[in-house]
Amino acid sequence: MLGLLAASALRIHEAYDSAVENEVQHLTQAAQSAETQVAESDQAVQRLLEAVAQGNAAGDSAWLRTLVHPFKEVRQAFLVGPDGRVIASTLPDLVGRDVSHRPYYTQLLEQGPASRFFMTAPLRTMDGGPDVIFVSMRIDRPDGGWGGVAVAALDLEFFNAVAERISLPGDGSSAALVNRTGTIIARHPDPASFFGKNVADGKAFVGHVASGKVQTVHRTQAATDGRDELIVTRTYMAGGTNPVLIFLTRDMDDVLVSWRRGTVIELAVLVVTCIGVGLLGWLAAGRENRLRQAQAAIEENARLVLAMEQSPASVVITDLNGRIEFVNPAFTRVTGYDITEARGENPRILKSGHTPDEEYRAMWATLRAGDPWSTVFLNKRKDGSTYWEQAQISPIRDARGQMTGYIAVKENITDRMIAEQTIRRLNQRLQSLLDAATQVAIIATDPDGLITTFNRGAELMLGYSADEMVGRSTPLAFHDAAEVEARTSPGNGGFRTFVHRADREGHDSGEWTYIRKDGTRFPVSLMVSPVRGDDGDIVGYLGLAIDISNELRMKAELIEGNQRLDRQARELARVNEELAEFAYAASHDLRQPLRMVSAYLTLIARKLSDQLDPESQTYFGFAIDGAKRMDALILGLLDYSRVGRAGGAFEPVSLQTVLETQIRTLAFTLEEVGGRIEVAPDLPTIQGDEPELNRLVGNILGNAIKYRAPDRPLRVSVGWNIADGWTILWIKDNGRGMDPKDHERAFRVFQRLVPQGEVEGTGIGLAICRKIAQHHGGRMWISSSIQDGCTFHVAFPTEAGAGERA
């Protein structure tokens, strides 16, 4: 009896260890399955990013929206150039935006070529709900330099869906995806309550990170709810840079349910055994043989019960009417029904409604005929969730061969079915992506060059159908044989001509000539990449070709146009130089006889002053004034022709200094007319020609003095601002003002808006000002109204200036 007690105690202890170990194995298997789920989803996103990076370098946002459309979990996707600006996006408002400060850009730029992918922490929407996680991929130029990033914003429901697909061992189980900082990004069940919680201080998280292992097992209090749980943690390197931790937990109370039930059974068997031994001993020593048989039967039954208790497969025993008589712990873990709830019920309590009634009728007909039945069910748990199971159902017969009931052994194959569905869904998405890429020829081959994929874009581009090419040809069929021969290197002939560089460097790109089925030829840009299996071996090649006929034609036209513009520019420069020399010579030669006319008229007027009547003297005055005014006009024309002809490089010029110089020059005149000029502090410094800028400011201030209002003191204010890439200097007076319809006329040469005798001038000053502004790459305009003064605006390019106001 003591031996039996000791053996029972040992079995109970071993059963405890076995229960925990079995649960660890179940969690480990679930964690590995979860890693597969995460990897498949992650690889799908990576393939999307690679397609964005490889096929959308031209910045075609419409193409990008077509590419992303099949991926419902992708909130947005965009392509960022090497300068940090968005060049293509599924959201039009994002194009052109500077995102160079965003983590998905800065992290990959700072980490260098060794890091290819990056995933951000989860972000919340404005209403506080789960939002998105940004995943980015580094883009390298053919020379290895920085080429920007491809970015996808994934809805957090995408990660929750991954967590939901993870097969959990039973009640009290949960699955969570945690980022490298310990923040929960997805959890099943109850994702909303756990979103954003941090488990970085939990023993399981700390111990796993410190171990450096891919997978660890801990029994500890959960960091989220403090319950005693068995936790398996596994690291998946998402994109190779940012680890995602997969946490699978099981409440220890649920882990030990079967052990406690087994302990009860063990004790019951022990009691029955002790009673049996006592009875057998009490009956007669002559019945020793039957005692041994009875004890063997008891032990055999105990082993059978123990085997069913510990079996990972669900076991269900029913009578001939289908009423449940027995279920094992695995059934309870899978369905949620315990033995007391299941006993007396029909297995139809698990029906989900997805299996046709015809199949159930066929099953019962087969079983009642005494034959076994095998099928796959989509069943429903107690909590309403569904699962897949493979069932083997057989009749139970007694010693006389009579059927007494049925036994069903069922394996939970949910993980396998989900994996198959995921593969089918991914294949469908891949096919949709291939069919949508009508502007790109996508051709895949096996390692020997036999075509395995020939998409719709390839059909449209080459004129061949997929049926004509897949499995029947190689890319040599539509390549220029002479071109292929010319590019063949020793030891790399035939199909190897296209792929030997991709084998060595990871990809190859270049321009090739394609030949359509009708014989027409056209140039393409072809990128070839090897496709590797799980073991790293090359299992095929992928080629993406784009017709570049239009690009090459436009490039040739652009080169020709640039050459034509260069010739025209040189001719225009020569003509302008000749015109400037002519204007200078003409004005110089005109002034000499004009000065003679003026001088001799003055001498004649003096000599004949006593003989001339008042009217004749007036005529002489008109003639002399006209000669002087013509001389002033010629001088103004000469000044106008000289603007921009200095030829020297621009230098930094302080507008503050220019204003101070002109105010000092006009100080006497300002004092004489009672005027005052107020200048804003910190006027900017721009790149320019200082004498020309002094002339521009002097002319504007001089006009303010000449055209001041007679009924009020002159007041002039000077300020500046920056707007839309321009540094704008403005000078405002309170003078007579100007009708808006005369604004453009005021800038014409020799145009005067007041009578000649009223205000001195040649009508060329503002024309010179505008020409100076244009010589500096800027523009000039007026805003005013009659009697309210004028404001003169001069805009200079900001990139040539001092930048923003301090």
Side-chain angles (χ1 to χ4, degrees):
M1 295 296 291
L2 291 176
L4 288 174
L5 289 173
S8 295
L10 179 60
R11 283 196 296 271
I12 290 172
H13 179 71
E14 289 175 346
Y16 177 90
D17 292 340
S18 177
V20 175
E21 181 60 26
N22 286 340
E23 192 59 37
V24 170
Q25 292 178 4
H26 295 158
L27 289 174
T28 297
Q29 293 172 358
Q32 293 170 346
S33 173
E35 184 179 36
T36 300
Q37 300 293 332
V38 174
E40 289 174 349
S41 301
D42 181 58
Q43 289 166 7
V45 174
Q46 291 183 24
R47 287 193 293 271
L48 171 64
L49 292 176
E50 289 171 350
V52 172
Q54 295 176 4
N56 200 38
D60 187 350
S61 293
W63 184 92
L64 182 58
R65 287 190 289 273
T66 300
L67 175 69
V68 173
H69 179 72
F71 296 85
K72 303 303 181 185
E73 62 272 19
V74 179
R75 185 77 62 82
Q76 58 177 288
F78 48 94
L79 191 65
V80 183
D83 60 350
R85 292 188 178 275
V86 176
I87 61 177
S89 172
T90 55
L91 298 180
D93 294 341
L94 198 59
V95 175
R97 185 176 299 178
D98 185 355
V99 297
S100 59
H101 59 288
R102 300 293 188 184
Y104 50 75
Y105 180 92
T106 59
Q107 289 294 322
L108 289 178
L109 178 61
E110 294 170 1
Q111 292 169 1
S115 297
R116 193 173 179 213
F117 294 92
F118 176 77
M119 183 172 68
T120 69
L123 304 175
R124 287 184 179 273
T125 56
M126 295 299 293
D127 59 2
D131 195 4
V132 297
I133 287 180
F134 285 91
V135 180
S136 59
M137 184 190 79
R138 176 187 179 93
I139 300 175
D140 291 321
R141 297 197 306 265
D143 60 359
W146 171 250
V149 295
V151 186
L154 301 182
D155 195 306
L156 285 180
E157 290 301 319
F158 170 74
F159 293 93
N160 286 330
V162 174
E164 288 177 1
R165 292 198 298 269
I166 297 173
S167 178
L168 300 178
D171 290 341
S173 301
S174 66
L177 304 181
V178 180
N179 69 7
R180 60 181 178 179
T181 63
T183 299
I184 296 176
I185 61 177
R187 203 250 193 197
H188 178 71
D190 196 16
S193 298
F194 290 85
F195 171 76
K197 287 190 176 181
N198 193 282
V199 297
D201 295 332
K203 292 182 180 179
F205 184 95
V206 173
H208 180 76
V209 173
S211 72
K213 298 178 180 178
V214 174
Q215 180 172 302
T216 57
V217 179
H218 294 86
R219 178 181 176 182
T220 183
Q221 289 185 336
T224 53
D225 56 14
R227 296 177 64 87
D228 184 19
E229 294 182 337
L230 187 63
I231 303 175
V232 170
T233 309
R234 189 173 183 86
T235 298
Y236 169 68
M237 297 300 293
T241 57
N242 293 276
V244 173
L245 275 60
I246 304 169
F247 278 70
L248 293 184
T249 63
R250 184 81 190 277
D251 194 300
M252 284 302 297
D253 288 340
D254 294 299
V255 172
L256 299 177
V257 166
S258 61
W259 172 78
R260 294 189 180 102
R261 186 179 294 112
T263 300
V264 172
I265 294 174
E266 177 70 27
L267 293 176
V269 170
L270 179 61
V271 171
V272 171
T273 301
C274 291
I275 293 174
V277 170
L279 288 174
L280 290 173
W282 177 73
L283 289 174
R287 298 181 180 178
E288 182 178 351
N289 186 47
R290 282 182 293 175
L291 176 61
R292 285 197 300 269
Q293 293 176 352
Q295 184 175 355
I298 292 172
E299 291 177 352
E300 180 65 24
N301 288 334
R303 284 194 295 270
L304 179 60
V305 171
L306 189 61
M308 286 192 295
E309 289 286 334
Q310 296 183 357
S311 172
S314 299
V315 178
V316 182
I317 298 176
T318 72
D319 62 15
L320 290 176
N321 295 318
R323 288 190 295 270
I324 296 175
E325 297 178 340
F326 171 85
V327 294
N328 72 337
F331 175 90
T332 297
R333 288 196 299 271
V334 173
T335 67
Y337 294 99
D338 61 27
I339 181 63
T340 58
E341 293 174 310
R343 184 179 290 120
E345 294 287 345
N346 191 287
R348 70 172 61 95
I349 62 174
L350 303 177
K351 287 180 63 174
S352 65
H354 289 80
T355 303
D357 292 339
E358 292 78 5
E359 185 167 352
Y360 284 114
R361 286 194 290 267
M363 177 188 71
W364 282 112
T366 301
L367 292 174
R368 286 171 181 148
D371 297 322
W373 177 268
S374 177
T375 190
V376 174
F377 290 118
L378 177 60
N379 279 344
K380 182 174 66 176
R381 297 184 178 92
K382 180 181 177 180
D383 63 7
S385 61
T386 58
Y387 65 100
W388 291 94
E389 63 180 7
Q390 176 78 48
Q392 301 287 338
I393 309 173
S394 302
I396 301 174
R397 298 180 184 273
D398 60 16
R400 295 174 299 172
Q402 297 295 318
M403 289 194 337
T404 61
Y406 304 100
I407 181 170
V409 179
K410 303 189 288 186
E411 178 187 2
N412 187 342
I413 60 171
T414 303
D415 289 346
R416 188 182 76 194
M417 297 297 290
I418 290 176
E420 293 175 355
Q421 291 174 349
T422 300
I423 291 173
R424 286 195 296 271
R425 185 167 59 253
L426 290 175
N427 286 336
Q428 291 171 354
R429 288 184 177 179
L430 177 59
Q431 189 60 49
S432 298
L433 178 61
L434 293 176
D435 292 341
T438 57
Q439 301 300 315
V440 181
I442 302 176
I443 303 172
T445 73
D446 67 6
D448 299 320
L450 195 68
I451 294 176
T452 57
T453 299
F454 198 82
N455 81 323
R456 179 59 178 161
E459 291 180 326
L460 295 173
M461 186 179 292
L462 290 165
Y464 295 98
S465 69
D467 291 339
E468 291 179 279
M469 304 304 291
V470 173
R472 302 182 186 178
S473 184
T474 71
L476 292 171
F478 44 81
H479 273 270
D480 185 325
E483 184 179 63
V484 174
E485 180 65 25
R487 299 191 186 187
T488 298
S489 58
N492 289 310
F495 177 69
R496 300 301 307 166
T497 302
F498 302 103
V499 300
H500 72 277
R501 184 177 175 187
D503 287 347
R504 185 176 65 254
E505 300 179 6
H507 70 278
D508 183 22
S509 60
E511 294 183 6
W512 292 84
T513 300
Y514 271 6
I515 303 175
R516 295 187 179 92
K517 186 177 181 179
D518 62 9
T520 56
R521 305 159 67 91
F522 60 99
V524 298
S525 175
L526 174 63
M527 174 175 287
V528 179
S529 300
V531 180
R532 298 184 182 274
D534 294 337
D535 56 1
D537 293 337
I538 293 177
V539 297
Y541 296 92
L542 180 65
L544 290 89
I546 300 175
D547 186 346
I548 58 173
S549 302
N550 291 334
E551 287 78 359
L552 293 180
R553 182 171 60 254
M554 292 173 61
K555 182 178 180 181
E557 293 174 352
L558 181 61
I559 292 174
E560 181 181 353
N562 287 337
Q563 292 173 347
R564 186 167 57 251
L565 287 174
D566 287 342
R567 291 193 298 270
Q568 292 175 350
R570 289 194 296 270
E571 179 64 18
L572 182 60
R574 184 186 64 78
V575 172
N576 285 339
E577 185 66 23
E578 290 178 355
L579 287 175
E581 291 177 356
F582 171 78
Y584 178 79
S587 59
H588 181 272
D589 293 343
L590 285 173
R591 291 191 67 202
Q592 180 61 30
L594 194 59
R595 284 195 296 270
M596 291 181 62
V597 170
S598 176
Y600 281 112
L601 284 174
T602 302
L603 291 174
I604 292 173
R606 288 177 182 175
K607 186 174 182 179
L608 300 177
S609 60
D610 296 337
Q611 303 175 23
L612 295 175
D613 55 39
E615 186 177 6
S616 298
Q617 290 180 354
T618 299
Y619 293 159
F620 267 101
F622 287 161
I624 293 171
D625 288 343
K628 290 180 179 178
R629 189 159 60 86
M630 181 175 289
D631 186 58
L633 291 173
I634 293 173
L635 282 175
L637 183 62
L638 186 60
D639 283 344
Y640 184 80
S641 68
R642 286 174 174 171
V643 172
R645 297 193 62 217
F650 283 176
E651 297 179 348
V653 178
S654 169
L655 293 180
Q656 194 79 36
T657 301
V658 170
L659 262 297
E660 292 173 355
T661 299
Q662 293 306 311
I663 291 173
R664 285 196 301 271
T665 301
L666 297 171
F668 177 78
T669 304
L670 288 171
E671 182 178 356
E672 189 176 54
V673 301
R676 186 170 72 245
I677 300 176
E678 297 178 351
V679 181
D682 301 325
L683 290 181
T685 296
I686 67 169
Q687 294 289 330
D689 181 276
E690 187 168 3
E692 287 190 353
L693 293 174
N694 270 286
R695 186 181 305 172
L696 182 149
V697 173
N699 281 350
I700 296 175
L701 295 178
N703 275 356
I705 294 174
K706 287 192 293 183
Y707 294 98
R708 65 187 181 276
D711 57 343
R712 54 182 177 269
L714 173 65
R715 296 292 181 265
V716 179
S717 59
V718 181
W720 70 287
N721 64 287
I722 289 180
D724 298 329
W726 296 92
T727 299
I728 302 173
L729 176 72
W730 52 266
I731 301 177
K732 176 179 177 60
D733 63 48
N734 64 341
R736 302 180 184 182
M738 186 186 304
D739 194 320
K741 66 182 179 61
D742 293 327
H743 285 174
E744 283 303 311
R745 180 185 167 199
F747 289 110
R748 297 175 189 169
V749 177
F750 301 139
Q751 291 294 317
R752 293 176 53 80
L753 304 182
V754 297
Q756 177 64 37
E758 185 175 338
V759 177
E760 293 183 0
T762 62
I764 205 169
L766 288 181
I768 290 176
C769 289
R770 173 171 277 187
K771 190 173 182 182
I772 291 173
Q774 293 171 344
H775 179 225
H776 284 72
R779 63 187 191 278
M780 181 175 177
W781 69 96
I782 303 170
S783 59
S784 72
S785 60
I786 298 176
Q787 299 301 326
D788 289 334
C790 290
T791 301
F792 294 88
H793 307 265
V794 186
F796 303 96
T798 298
E799 57 268 22
E804 297 182 351
R805 181 193 293 267

